[in-house]
Amino acid sequence: MSRKFVFDFDSTLTQVEALDVLAEITLGDREDRGAIIREIQEITNLGIDGDISFTESLERRIRLLGAHRKDLKPLIAQLRKKISRSIAANKEFFETYAEDIYVISAGFKEFIVPIVSEYNIPAERVYANTFECDADGNIVGFDKENYLAAHNGKIDCLRALNLEGEVQVIGDGYSDYVMREAGIAHKFFAYTENVHRDKATRHADHVAPNLDEFLFVNDLPRNLSYPKNRIKILLLENVHPAAFENLTEDGFSVELVKHSLSEDELVEKIRGVHVLGIRSKTQVTQRVLDAANKLMVVGAFCIGTTQIDLDYARQKGVVVFNAPYSNTRSVVELAVGEIIMLMRSIFPRSTEIHSGQWNKTAANAREIRGKNLGIVGYGNIGKQLSVLAEAMGMRVYYYDVDEQLALGNAVKCDSLEDLLNVSDVVTLHVDDNPANRNFIGEREIGQMRHGACLINLSRGFVVDIPALVEGLKSGKLGGAAIDVYPEEPASNGPYLTELAGLDNVILTPHIGGSTEEAQRNIADFVPNKIMEYINSGSTVDAVNFPNIRLPKQQKAHRFLHIHKNVPGIMAHINQVLASYDMNITGQYLSTDPDVGYVITDLDKDYNKAAIKALKNIEHTIKFRVLY
């Protein structure tokens, strides 16, 4: 059976109510502009929800507008910029199915026709009101003989059209869903991309958050093979609200949970989830990954990834992204502050005066200028700390297991012992490699200068805590600042450590990267990586997956194939494509010892049997299609 598609205009094809925009144009800089616009919007909503008759709504708004025919040109220019995002992305649908598309709107043809004509919808398939103007061009009313000037006028208009086949109405308000209730339309899609009206969604056969969803349900050609609103994202551990905003704005369905989940809880929750966002406390284990039947991506909103089984995630075709740079500045600034506080013995003096004791003394209080700073781990954080410390007059020494180029006047040490022997302050910035467990122990503390200070902002297991306690109590060390611990609780509450109560020891609860700026940076960086992978297949900066930077698609279909890295897979993929007469416009491959990732761009429509054949290639892990 043939299908006819009836679209509303305001807040459906466009993001706005056109008369609201016209009001902003006509009212200019009037002092009462804001109040009048709010009144117009209120009248608009009353009419859309059916709380007043449409005729009354229209009359009252036109009186308030005080518009002129010349105002329509800038209105049309504004509306061209306000086409709904998914409508604009699927322009090809309107052009291809133009003969089956109708616009029935309570708006006005004078501004609707110029907009929809750019989508190949001719004026004769646009049914809307028309303005009436006086001799001077002032808009003073509308054609009251028009069906659409009356309450429930869309019903009479659609009935008069007597369309053949299945009639589907796509709109956002009362006047749209009553066409289906009147029995002259077969389905009503509540369109919620721009505005969500409860009355419309309650009466809908289907809620369409965007045009992609509508086209998907109807199995029509579309810009996206799978609507983003059907991609479920679960964000745990109270990640910054900007992450939620970034992902929802791109069209995904996002659930936000403020705390971490245990393995059992996550196993229960993960089913049906496409993207998981976590911080440091949630453990993504083999059991969790086995339960994740649709999982494509894990986003770690932090630097470390030891809480994720990266190898098993790769074997399951799950890509993992983290935020290796986003909180660098925050950690460096804390290190700088702690260097100064330790060298000046600020913490003991603060504790004394808090307890009611005044002890003004210069004992054990030293400037950092001219002192030696030893940086263990000369990566992003170590390098930035090196620059700031040198700017404050410190002499910088560094040690790293990898070859690293010195910045400024920093001096490279050939061994950890060399660095420990020369440093007044040692600060640790090593990674989460298990080989770094107890990297600083009794032996290393013994190699440090008498009275030197130790700072650990890296990983809790890097320092042997009992050895550190002994070094502090014996006076070998003059102070320490510890932000990370071998064992950390899953939630805020009581916490005990052997370091508590020791003089000149600064203890913080793993907050090195916990600043508003860092969390905001992470909330931008990680979602962008997630969206790049979901939207284009790009794996740049993935921590467990072959990295591929992809060009933007240009009117091509894109096949994403993840497979075990065994010989012959590429040959099999291209053999399938050739057997279905599919022309490759671009192909990209990257592998690691375990996994291969190949992306193929194609310039023509494809037989859906080809997808099944590609999925059935031996050693396939995951397969996905992007339009």
Side-chain angles (χ1 to χ4, degrees), residues 43-114:
I43 295 167
T44 298
N45 289 328
L46 289 171
I48 289 172
D49 288 338
D51 295 327
I52 62 174
S53 74
F54 178 73
T55 307
E56 179 186 350
S57 168
L58 206 52
E59 287 174 340
R60 288 170 62 182
R61 284 182 286 165
I62 286 179
R63 281 199 302 270
L64 289 167
L65 280 170
H68 190 276
R69 186 186 293 116
K70 64 179 174 57
D71 296 321
L72 296 177
K73 187 173 181 180
L75 170 63
I76 292 166
Q78 287 289 327
L79 293 178
R80 283 196 175 102
K81 300 175 185 176
K82 297 292 183 179
I83 300 296
S84 299
R85 288 174 62 183
S86 67
I87 299 289
N90 287 284
K91 191 173 184 179
E92 189 175 348
F93 161 72
F94 290 93
E95 294 172 345
T96 304
Y97 288 83
E99 292 184 1
D100 300 318
I101 296 173
Y102 296 77
V103 176
I104 299 181
S105 171
F108 290 83
K109 292 189 77 167
E110 286 88 346
F111 56 74
I112 295 176
V113 168

Side-chain angles (χ1 to χ4, degrees), residues 259-268 282-283 287-288:
H259 53 273
S260 62
L261 297 181
S262 68
E263 184 182 53
D264 287 342
E265 290 171 325
L266 191 52
V267 164
E268 185 70 24
T282 301
Q283 301 295 309
R287 184 167 164 245
V288 169

Side-chain angles (χ1 to χ4, degrees), residues 85-86 89 209-213 216 222-233 246-254 274-275 296 531-532 534-536 624 626:
R85 288 174 62 183
S86 67
N210 45 58
L211 190 65
D212 298 303
E213 174 70 12
F216 180 81
R222 53 199 177 272
N223 182 55
L224 296 173
S225 54
Y226 195 70
K228 291 183 184 178
N229 57 280
R230 289 178 174 248
I231 295 177
K232 184 177 178 182
I233 298 178
N246 287 333
L247 293 164
T248 51
E249 187 177 331
D250 204 46
F252 298 106
S253 176
V254 186
H274 298 86
V275 179
M296 295 187 287
M531 289 186 286
E532 285 176 8
I534 297 293
N535 296 339
S536 74
R624 188 159 62 100
L626 291 177

Side-chain angles (χ1 to χ4, degrees), residues 132-295:
E132 287 184 349
C133 300
D134 62 17
D136 296 324
N138 297 306
I139 296 174
V140 294
F142 50 93
D143 177 11
K144 294 184 179 178
E145 299 301 314
N146 189 325
Y147 286 129
L148 293 161
H151 191 58
N152 287 340
K154 288 187 177 182
I155 294 175
D156 295 330
C157 178
L158 185 56
R159 183 177 285 120
L161 286 175
N162 194 29
L163 299 177
E164 295 182 357
E166 180 182 270
V167 176
Q168 299 186 7
V169 173
I170 305 96
D172 64 278
Y174 164 85
S175 62
D176 302 306
Y177 71 71
V178 293
M179 288 186 273
R180 200 259 289 133
E181 292 192 339
I184 53 173
H186 297 85
K187 291 180 181 177
F188 168 62
F189 287 79
Y191 196 80
T192 61
E193 181 172 4
N194 305 306
V195 62
H196 188 287
R197 303 185 194 279
D198 289 338
K199 280 189 177 180
T201 56
R202 283 200 306 268
H203 290 82
D205 296 292
H206 198 95
V207 176
N210 45 58
L211 190 65
D212 298 303
E213 174 70 12
F214 167 77
L215 297 175
F216 180 81
V217 170
N218 282 290
D219 196 24
L220 292 164
R222 53 199 177 272
N223 182 55
L224 296 173
S225 54
Y226 195 70
K228 291 183 184 178
N229 57 280
R230 289 178 174 248
I231 295 177
K232 184 177 178 182
I233 298 178
L234 176 63
L235 300 180
L236 305 179
E237 301 188 59
N238 201 27
V239 301
H240 194 284
F244 179 87
E245 294 164 10
N246 287 333
L247 293 164
T248 51
E249 187 177 331
D250 204 46
F252 298 106
S253 176
V254 186
E255 181 181 357
L256 196 61
V257 177
K258 291 189 175 182
H259 53 273
S260 62
L261 297 181
S262 68
E263 184 182 53
D264 287 342
E265 290 171 325
L266 191 52
V267 164
E268 185 70 24
K269 190 84 171 173
I270 198 72
R271 187 167 183 81
V273 170
H274 298 86
V275 179
L276 175 65
I278 62 170
R279 293 175 73 182
S280 58
K281 294 175 183 175
T282 301
Q283 301 295 309
V284 183
T285 62
Q286 288 193 19
R287 184 167 164 245
V288 169
L289 291 164
D290 283 336
N293 60 324
K294 292 188 177 180
L295 192 63

Side-chain angles (χ1 to χ4, degrees), residues 161 184 203 231 298 308 331 346 414 432 452 480 482 501 540 569 584:
L161 286 175
I184 53 173
H203 290 82
I231 295 177
V298 174
I308 305 166
V331 176
I346 296 296
D414 293 328
D432 53 9
I482 303 297
V540 174
I569 297 290
I584 299 172

Side-chain angles (χ1 to χ4, degrees), residues 237-525:
E237 301 188 59
N238 201 27
V239 301
H240 194 284
F244 179 87
E245 294 164 10
N246 287 333
L247 293 164
T248 51
E249 187 177 331
D250 204 46
F252 298 106
S253 176
V254 186
E255 181 181 357
L256 196 61
V257 177
K258 291 189 175 182
H259 53 273
S260 62
L261 297 181
S262 68
E263 184 182 53
D264 287 342
E265 290 171 325
L266 191 52
V267 164
E268 185 70 24
K269 190 84 171 173
I270 198 72
R271 187 167 183 81
V273 170
H274 298 86
V275 179
L276 175 65
I278 62 170
R279 293 175 73 182
S280 58
K281 294 175 183 175
T282 301
Q283 301 295 309
V284 183
T285 62
Q286 288 193 19
R287 184 167 164 245
V288 169
L289 291 164
D290 283 336
N293 60 324
K294 292 188 177 180
L295 192 63
M296 295 187 287
V297 188
V298 174
F301 286 72
C302 52
I303 296 177
T305 54
T306 53
Q307 72 277 35
I308 305 166
D309 190 327
L310 296 177
D311 290 337
Y312 198 67
R314 179 172 61 250
Q315 294 173 34
K316 301 285 285 188
V318 176
V319 182
V320 178
F321 296 101
N322 67 339
Y325 319 112
S326 300
N327 64 4
T328 299
R329 180 69 184 199
S330 298
V331 176
V332 168
E333 287 190 6
L334 181 59
V336 169
E338 290 181 336
I339 291 168
I340 294 171
M341 290 182 72
L342 290 172
M343 294 291 284
R344 292 291 301 273
S345 294
I346 296 296
F347 196 73
R349 301 294 84 80
S350 175
T351 301
E352 288 162 359
I353 206 162
H354 269 292
S355 62
Q357 182 180 359
W358 184 275
N359 184 21
K360 183 177 179 180
T361 177
N364 297 319
R366 296 165 291 164
E367 290 184 353
I368 66 169
R369 181 177 52 178
K371 303 304 185 296
N372 296 346
L373 174 65
I375 300 174
V376 182
Y378 205 61
N380 298 311
I381 293 171
K383 284 187 171 75
Q384 194 169 138
L385 176 58
S386 175
V387 172
L388 293 184
E390 188 173 323
M392 291 189 295
M394 299 192 81
R395 293 188 291 263
V396 177
Y397 298 83
Y398 72 92
Y399 170 73
D400 199 298
V401 293
D402 295 324
E403 191 64 35
Q404 300 283 0
L405 183 66
L407 297 183
N409 296 312
V411 177
K412 178 179 179 294
C413 293
D414 293 328
S415 69
L416 176 61
E417 183 176 358
D418 288 345
L419 180 138
L420 297 175
N421 289 165
V422 76
S423 301
D424 298 301
V425 181
V426 175
T427 178
L428 307 177
H429 304 286
V430 299
D431 62 23
D432 53 9
N433 189 322
N436 287 328
R437 181 169 298 279
N438 291 337
F439 188 76
I440 300 295
E442 181 181 356
R443 177 174 178 272
E444 288 72 27
I445 290 172
Q447 293 168 343
M448 293 175 67
R449 281 186 168 184
H450 188 82
C453 296
L454 178 68
I455 297 173
N456 185 16
L457 296 171
S458 59
R459 303 294 185 271
F461 59 75
V462 168
V463 175
D464 181 341
I465 297 298
L468 175 60
V469 170
E470 179 58 33
L472 289 162
K473 287 182 175 180
S474 68
K476 171 65 177 178
L477 297 182
I482 303 297
D483 185 53
V484 287
Y485 306 85
E487 293 182 3
E488 297 180 3
S491 59
N492 292 340
Y495 182 68
L496 298 176
T497 171
E498 299 170 68
L499 294 163
L502 296 179
D503 288 343
N504 207 22
V505 176
I506 302 170
L507 302 176
T508 49
H510 203 154
I511 58 168
S514 297
T515 61
E516 293 177 4
E517 293 85 354
Q519 294 308 305
R520 178 56 196 254
N521 290 339
I522 292 170
D524 288 334
F525 183 86

